[in-house]
Amino acid sequence: MNTVITFGTFDVLHVGHINILERARAKGDHLVVGVSSDKLNFEKKARYPVYKENDRVKIIKSLRCVDQVFIEESLELKAEYIKQHQASVLVMGDDWKGRFDHLSEFCEVLYLARTPSVSTSEIIEIVKSI
């Protein structure tokens, strides 16, 4: 089995999330998604997600392109998650380009282009201004 793994917060789900998850799934025959914990999201972005981690996990699990979901507790554990899930490919958005190249000793590392003109942070700012 060719397992692909990817990670993200997946807060305020939008077409960019769907696009990258579908494209990640196309790189293998089993897609595992690590959803950032609320705590990890706060450490990365200095804000908590709009949706709690259990709700975000449920949303991502419901997508037909996703086979398995777990909560990512730490950015530093990516190698462990790759090994645990026996992933042969790591897919990340190109906004992370180069940041995970060191994991190529465990699996192929691919950075996919993000969907232009859509981001969760921008959506949140628009909603706040209304």
Side-chain angles (χ1 to χ4, degrees):
M1 177 167 48
N2 185 20
T3 299
V4 178
I5 193 167
T6 192
F7 300 86
T9 301
F10 304 104
D11 195 21
V12 187
L13 194 69
H14 54 69
V15 70
H17 293 132
I18 302 302
N19 289 342
I20 200 159
L21 290 170
E22 288 178 342
R23 291 170 57 218
R25 179 62 167 75
K27 301 294 181 185
D29 50 30
H30 187 81
L31 179 59
V32 177
V33 179
V35 173
S36 300
S37 69
D38 292 342
K39 180 178 178 279
L40 176 58
N41 193 74
F42 188 82
E43 291 168 3
K44 288 190 305 189
K45 300 180 181 181
R47 69 169 176 79
Y48 287 104
V50 173
Y51 293 107
K52 299 284 184 212
E53 63 192 48
N54 290 337
D55 293 337
R56 292 181 286 116
V57 164
K58 185 173 183 176
I59 290 166
I60 298 303
K61 272 185 182 176
S62 74
L63 300 174
R64 68 175 167 242
C65 62
V66 175
D67 298 295
Q68 190 177 349
V69 181
F70 68 96
I71 295 177
E72 178 189 20
E73 300 290 346
S74 169
L75 293 176
E76 286 71 39
L77 293 176
K78 280 199 175 21
E80 296 306 312
Y81 297 133
I82 289 166
K83 290 185 230 173
Q84 178 183 352
H85 295 282
Q86 300 177 344
S88 54
V89 180
L90 166 64
V91 168
M92 297 297 293
D94 64 358
D95 54 325
W96 292 94
K97 193 162 184 86
R99 178 99 183 261
F100 299 109
D101 289 354
H102 65 282
L103 297 173
S104 63
E105 69 182 275
F106 304 107
C107 65
E108 180 181 5
V109 178
L110 299 175
Y111 300 97
L112 301 181
R114 292 172 51 118
T115 301
S117 304
V118 63
S119 84
T120 300
S121 298
E122 288 176 17
I123 292 169
I124 290 170
E125 287 306 312
I126 291 168
V127 170
K128 282 170 47 176
S129 70
I130 296 175

